[in-house]
Amino acid sequence: MLPDATAVSHILTAAGVSNAVVATETLGVVCRLEAASVLRALEALRDGELDFRVLLDFLGADTGEEIEVTYHLRSLTRDEELFIKATVAYDGELRSVWNIYASALMPERETAELLGLSLVGHPNPKRLLTTDGVEPLLRKSVPIRTVEEVRNR
Amino acid sequence: MSDPRDDVISVGALAAEGTHSAGDPPAGIRRVPSGVDGLTTEHLIINMGPQHPSTHGVLRLLIEVDGEEVLAAETSLGYLHRGIEKLAESRKYHQLGTLMDRGDYVSGMHGEQAAALATEKLLEVTVPDKARYIRTLVAELTRLASHLVWYGTFGLDTGAMGQFLYAVRDREVLLDILEEISGQRMMFNYIRPGGVVADLPVGIEKKILDFLTDFDVHLEEHHALLGGNEIFQMRVKGIGTISREMALAFALSGANLRATGVGFDVRRDRPYDAYPDLDFDVPVGSTGDAWDRYMVRMEEMRQSVRMVRQCIEGMPEGDFTAKVPKVIRPAEGEVYASVESSRGETGVHLVSDGSPEPYRYHYRGPSLFACQVLEEILPGHLLADVVMMIGSLDIMLGEADR
Amino acid sequence: MAIDRFTGEHSVAFIRSEQLFDYARSKSLWYMAFGIACCAIEGLMHASGPRFDFDRMGVFFRASPRQADVMIVAGTVNKKMAETVKLLYDQMPEPKWVVAMGACASTGGPFREYPNVVLGVDQVVPVDVYIPGCPPRPESVQYGFICLQDKITKRTEERLAARRDRS
């Protein structure tokens, strides 16, 4: 289940990714990176000996100060899972990883529109779920409807 | 069934066989320019859905065709986006199951189970043995009910009608059993953090066993009725072939992944609830076409029947729920829990900040990833095969849009 | 059955053509196969299945809105879907009826707080029958159709009564 943290950091250092912090948390083995080095790190992890060939999931979360994106990787040959985390500023640029993991195509579009990021390097960076003009709904600053609003529909 | 783990280990070696190399853009984006060049006919863009009887909900496809042949396809989602993730941030942990039921609405128990497992991971509560068995029992019954919907509608997509009525007949009995257990036909809200909401009703074991006795026969009838039909076989064999490489690149899961020969099953490889105690096989396919997906799902139903029998035989005595506070305030932390739902790996990524409501709740729906692979597999097929490929992937838009 | 009301002991019926047409319409309510969400499983799939068998009421599904009399809105309508629902309603030939099935189509249901969800389909198209439940059982949908049949057969009588009152 849990990959060897030192092996992960070794691969990342060999790929020239600096400032990567690999730690074991409640989630599993989590690797925190700078957003700029995510692409290089993912490519190294996919092609490296740990063989993280599946991007199982991609999600973003509004931490209150910035957007934290999580890449959930899985290696089927070694039966291990790894989480890569990076942070993006509000209204910042989310660089697409679709040419490393094709499964990121739609989750990235979804995250970009629901958290208000601009998607860079994506072949089809349209909105996925909502229509034009809908505010980024998953941000903490966007409230849900109140009881009064629902009642006075 | 041979042990599929050998296949998993050789995935890397077989990588060259796949047609998808990660550098190519998906075919939905490799748009062929439409127009007349003197030799070819003009390309037509067909808008399929969101109201279409065979898109299994509100999927919308933009299909570019040259005559009968599909050149490119683009999936458009969002017609059922109703904010399960956002609303979960204002719900208590007990209430998450209500939303998850309506996510993947045909197999509601699995969504509840994923939410409950994630909450229990944060709470570090031990679920009593009986609750684990009851959960597994209802999860497998739900899998049967869900696969029956897939079986009935997959036949409808190919133009058959009879098997739909037989599937609904069996599903009615299943829903009666699930209703007796949980109180509702579809939106069960039965599995809660710490266990289940109520004990099994008296005498339900006999009803389930009676149903299974019938169902053993019915299942073979179902298989003979649809799978034994030569027209059906000719229509689905060789359609929508997904290579292993493509399945892994697009993060497929469940029967869609296993049909390509990769034997990953959350029930066996990330065991939860009573699955470690049960004896079951994980069926895998070889070519990854629609016929393989059909065969894998039919075999999964047989395995589900086996598991339900084992659950009833091995049902332990004891409590049906652990002691869980009325208002759950888990410790700060972040967890991921997944279950094998009828459609694949349904995962819940939960971030808690110590308050009674989740801070961030992410729902990984396997259908979203199956919708993505549609763009890749549709080109090159005939227009009449499009609905069959949608049907064989068993897409549920409720969890793709969330 | 109800036609006896008109014929009585005799085999010749003297009724207004509108009433006759409405009677016929109420017995062949073809609905559009248009499932949005969860309710479609109960209201469209199980309803046409062997146990509930809506066909015996003359309620049968058509794939195209051009051939349908009734639209069952079975599920949550969000802002992206609302345009499609309106378009489909406009494509249906007159006379047409709309059944709002379930909590979501009636008021927004469990998702009413999400800003992207329309608070009930009656904000988009006029609704004739609301069926409560999340999801309603097929029996409830059946009762909803019986209510719709009543509404259809009575509308000529009501119109005639209103005309009598005026004169």
Side-chain angles (χ1 to χ4, degrees), chain C residues 37-119:
Chain C
C38 343
C39 289
I41 303 289
E42 291 281 82
L44 307 184
M45 217 186 94
H46 278 269
S48 57
R51 183 182 289 180
F52 297 101
D53 195 14
F54 280 17
D55 296 14
R56 65 205 153 111
M57 295 166 66
V59 177
F60 190 68
F61 70 88
R62 305 302 299 171
S64 163
R66 309 264 180 205
Q67 301 165 343
D69 307 303
V70 187
M71 179 160 77
I72 307 180
V73 184
T76 322
V77 180
N78 66 16
K79 283 181 181 162
K80 198 169 178 180
M81 195 70 205
E83 295 165 25
T84 314
V85 172
K86 183 84 180 77
L87 189 70
L88 288 168
Y89 180 78
D90 291 343
Q91 284 179 344
M92 283 164 61
E94 290 277 356
K96 53 193 171 186
W97 298 275
V98 177
V99 175
M101 180 185 173
C104 290
S106 304
T107 62
F111 303 100
R112 61 189 178 276
E113 290 157 323
Y114 194 56
N116 197 38
V117 169
V118 175
L119 291 170

Side-chain angles (χ1 to χ4, degrees), chain B residues 35-86:
Chain B
V36 188
D37 60 1
L39 285 171
T40 53
T41 48
E42 193 171 352
H43 297 166
L44 192 69
I45 293 185
I46 292 180
N47 183 21
M48 185 173 166
Q51 188 264 330
H52 187 281
S54 294
T55 51
H56 298 258
V58 285
L59 177 67
R60 178 170 168 227
L61 286 169
L62 288 159
I63 304 170
E64 187 170 341
V65 288
D66 179 12
E68 278 280 289
E69 194 192 345
V70 178
L71 296 174
E74 190 184 332
T75 319
S76 176
L77 299 176
Y79 293 92
L80 195 50
H81 177 60
R82 43 190 183 178
I84 288 177
E85 293 182 2
K86 177 81 177 178

Side-chain angles (χ1 to χ4, degrees), chain B residues 11-219:
Chain B
V11 163
L14 283 167
E17 280 183 11
T19 53
H20 180 85
S21 78
D24 294 341
I29 296 146
R30 280 200 301 265
R31 297 299 286 270
V32 187
S34 60
V36 188
D37 60 1
L39 285 171
T40 53
T41 48
E42 193 171 352
H43 297 166
L44 192 69
I45 293 185
I46 292 180
N47 183 21
M48 185 173 166
Q51 188 264 330
H52 187 281
S54 294
T55 51
H56 298 258
V58 285
L59 177 67
R60 178 170 168 227
L61 286 169
L62 288 159
I63 304 170
E64 187 170 341
V65 288
D66 179 12
E68 278 280 289
E69 194 192 345
V70 178
L71 296 174
E74 190 184 332
T75 319
S76 176
L77 299 176
Y79 293 92
L80 195 50
H81 177 60
R82 43 190 183 178
I84 288 177
E85 293 182 2
K86 177 81 177 178
L87 291 177
E89 289 171 10
S90 62
R91 298 284 196 270
K92 306 281 183 288
Y93 283 89
H94 280 299
Q95 298 170 320
L96 293 178
T98 321
L99 291 172
M100 293 298 280
D101 270 337
R102 287 153 183 82
D104 183 354
Y105 41 82
V106 177
S107 57
M109 288 286 188
H110 299 124
E112 293 170 19
Q113 206 174 6
L117 285 172
T119 314
E120 282 155 12
K121 262 193 186 175
L122 277 175
L123 266 182
E124 292 175 354
V125 66
T126 316
V127 183
D129 277 352
K130 184 163 191 187
R132 291 195 298 125
Y133 268 78
I134 296 177
R135 283 180 180 190
T136 313
L137 173 76
V138 291
E140 290 308 317
L141 286 174
T142 316
R143 192 183 315 277
L144 283 177
S146 169
H147 278 2
L148 281 173
V149 171
W150 158 80
Y151 166 81
T153 50
F154 187 34
L156 283 183
D157 292 345
T158 61
M161 182 79 199
Q163 88 299 331
F164 171 75
L165 300 172
Y166 289 116
V168 174
R169 174 196 64 185
D170 284 349
R171 202 178 129 87
E172 289 283 359
V173 186
L174 261 174
L175 290 192
D176 280 352
I177 291 170
L178 285 169
E179 186 182 11
E180 201 168 330
I181 295 175
S182 69
Q184 245 274 32
R185 279 165 62 92
M186 272 176 73
M187 307 302 172
F188 310 105
N189 206 6
Y190 181 63
I191 298 176
R192 303 277 173 89
V196 293
V197 77
D199 205 348
L200 287 179
V202 179
I204 194 73
E205 290 87 354
K206 188 177 174 303
K207 277 189 186 166
I208 297 174
L209 289 175
D210 284 353
F211 165 74
L212 291 184
T213 315
D214 289 346
F215 191 69
D216 279 338
V217 183
H218 289 174
L219 189 54

Side-chain angles (χ1 to χ4, degrees), chain B residues 116-361:
Chain B
L117 285 172
T119 314
E120 282 155 12
K121 262 193 186 175
L122 277 175
L123 266 182
E124 292 175 354
V125 66
T126 316
V127 183
D129 277 352
K130 184 163 191 187
R132 291 195 298 125
Y133 268 78
I134 296 177
R135 283 180 180 190
T136 313
L137 173 76
V138 291
E140 290 308 317
L141 286 174
T142 316
R143 192 183 315 277
L144 283 177
S146 169
H147 278 2
L148 281 173
V149 171
W150 158 80
Y151 166 81
T153 50
F154 187 34
L156 283 183
D157 292 345
T158 61
M161 182 79 199
Q163 88 299 331
F164 171 75
L165 300 172
Y166 289 116
V168 174
R169 174 196 64 185
D170 284 349
R171 202 178 129 87
E172 289 283 359
V173 186
L174 261 174
L175 290 192
D176 280 352
I177 291 170
L178 285 169
E179 186 182 11
E180 201 168 330
I181 295 175
S182 69
Q184 245 274 32
R185 279 165 62 92
M186 272 176 73
M187 307 302 172
F188 310 105
N189 206 6
Y190 181 63
I191 298 176
R192 303 277 173 89
V196 293
V197 77
D199 205 348
L200 287 179
V202 179
I204 194 73
E205 290 87 354
K206 188 177 174 303
K207 277 189 186 166
I208 297 174
L209 289 175
D210 284 353
F211 165 74
L212 291 184
T213 315
D214 289 346
F215 191 69
D216 279 338
V217 183
H218 289 174
L219 189 54
E220 297 316 313
E221 277 177 10
H222 289 327
H223 181 50
L225 184 63
L226 194 61
N229 187 328
E230 202 182 331
I231 301 170
F232 175 79
Q233 289 187 14
M234 284 166 71
R235 286 206 70 182
V236 297
K237 275 186 182 167
I239 293 295
T241 308
I242 301 176
S243 64
R244 286 181 190 188
E245 187 67 359
M246 200 199 291
L248 295 182
F250 281 91
L252 289 189
S253 50
N256 298 335
L257 176 67
R258 288 193 286 275
T260 66
V262 183
F264 186 86
D265 190 320
V266 186
R267 289 173 290 177
R268 186 191 57 188
D269 300 324
R270 303 277 186 278
Y272 54 95
D273 285 347
Y275 288 108
D277 307 348
L278 303 184
D279 176 33
F280 62 99
D281 295 328
V282 177
V284 287
S286 52
T287 56
D289 60 354
W291 174 252
D292 267 19
R293 293 196 278 279
Y294 169 84
M295 290 299 276
V296 167
R297 289 214 171 83
M298 292 309 267
E299 184 58 35
E300 269 188 24
M301 284 208 253
R302 292 188 192 104
Q303 298 300 330
S304 289
V305 171
R306 264 179 78 189
M307 278 186 257
V308 171
R309 285 221 169 87
Q310 290 174 37
C311 281
I312 291 178
E313 277 165 22
M315 183 70 68
E317 294 293 311
D319 291 334
F320 57 84
T321 178
K323 286 247 180 297
V324 173
K326 285 253 163 57
V327 178
I328 298 175
R329 285 173 195 273
E332 266 183 57
E334 189 171 357
V335 287
Y336 175 79
S338 61
V339 299
E340 182 76 21
S341 85
S342 322
R343 266 151 274 280
E345 178 167 350
T346 294
V348 166
H349 197 114
L350 191 57
V351 184
S352 156
D353 60 349
S355 66
E357 288 118 20
Y359 183 79
R360 173 79 169 97
Y361 183 82

Side-chain angles (χ1 to χ4, degrees), chain C:
Chain C
M1 279 300 290
I3 198 87
D4 304 338
R5 202 171 67 222
F6 304 124
T7 55
E9 300 165 357
H10 312 291
S11 54
V12 180
F14 292 97
I15 54 171
R16 286 172 176 270
S17 55
E18 300 159 55
Q19 267 174 308
L20 183 66
F21 293 155
D22 279 348
Y23 174 76
R25 275 173 192 138
S26 73
K27 302 294 176 199
S28 69
L29 287 170
W30 288 3
Y31 64 84
M32 181 164 56
F34 172 48
I36 303 178
C38 343
C39 289
I41 303 289
E42 291 281 82
L44 307 184
M45 217 186 94
H46 278 269
S48 57
R51 183 182 289 180
F52 297 101
D53 195 14
F54 280 17
D55 296 14
R56 65 205 153 111
M57 295 166 66
V59 177
F60 190 68
F61 70 88
R62 305 302 299 171
S64 163
R66 309 264 180 205
Q67 301 165 343
D69 307 303
V70 187
M71 179 160 77
I72 307 180
V73 184
T76 322
V77 180
N78 66 16
K79 283 181 181 162
K80 198 169 178 180
M81 195 70 205
E83 295 165 25
T84 314
V85 172
K86 183 84 180 77
L87 189 70
L88 288 168
Y89 180 78
D90 291 343
Q91 284 179 344
M92 283 164 61
E94 290 277 356
K96 53 193 171 186
W97 298 275
V98 177
V99 175
M101 180 185 173
C104 290
S106 304
T107 62
F111 303 100
R112 61 189 178 276
E113 290 157 323
Y114 194 56
N116 197 38
V117 169
V118 175
L119 291 170
V121 74
D122 46 8
Q123 306 205 331
V124 187
V125 293
V127 176
D128 294 281
V129 178
Y130 297 88
I131 305 173
C134 187
R137 299 172 64 88
E139 293 99 318
S140 312
V141 187
Q142 204 157 15
Y143 181 66
F145 269 101
I146 293 170
C147 292
L148 186 61
Q149 286 180 338
D150 277 358
K151 187 172 179 174
I152 293 167
T153 45
K154 279 184 187 143
R155 66 177 188 161
T156 314
E157 287 169 31
E158 280 164 11
R159 204 162 53 222
L160 292 174
R163 203 184 297 167
R164 267 198 303 276
D165 290 347
R166 270 205 305 277
S167 56

